[in-house]
Amino acid sequence: MSSRMDFQLDRTVEILRSTPATLRALLGDVSDPWIRCDEGPDTWSPYDIVGHMIHGEKTDWIGRMRRLAAKRWLNYSTRSKRCVKRTCGL
C-alpha cells in the first residue's frame, strides 16, 4: 500500500542535496551520443533534462519552491510526467 507524502522541507532538502551525486553516478561515464539522444518528438534527452534543472536552479528555484510548498504536492505537466516515468523506467 502506498501513501502520499506531504511536503516537508527537510525531506526536500535531502533529495536536492543528493541530486548532483546521483546525476554524476548515472551519467558520468556515459558517452555523448547517449547523453544527447532523445526518444523522438516531445521527449527530452538527459542533456536537456540536466540543462533544464540548471536553468531552474539559476533562475527560478526560490519561486518554484514557494509554489510547491504552498501546494504541498507536485503538479507536474503531462510532458514532465512522461519524462520522469521514461527516465526512471516507471
Side-chain angles (χ1 to χ4, degrees), residues 8-54:
Q8 294 178 11
L9 184 59
D10 59 327
R11 290 182 188 246
T12 301
V13 170
E14 175 186 336
I15 293 296
L16 293 174
R17 194 174 286 138
S18 69
T19 299
T22 301
L23 291 172
R24 272 192 294 280
L26 291 171
L27 302 173
D29 294 326
V30 179
S31 64
D32 198 56
W34 285 107
I35 299 293
R36 295 196 179 258
C37 73
D38 59 39
E39 295 183 6
D42 296 324
T43 66
W44 294 24
S45 69
Y47 180 85
D48 295 329
I49 293 167
V50 172
H52 175 75
M53 293 170 74
I54 292 169

Side-chain angles (χ1 to χ4, degrees), residues 74-87:
L74 299 176
N75 186 14
Y76 287 115
S77 68
T78 301
R79 180 177 178 173
S80 294
K81 286 179 184 176
R82 283 196 308 263
C83 221
V84 169
K85 286 180 181 179
R86 207 173 6 262
T87 302

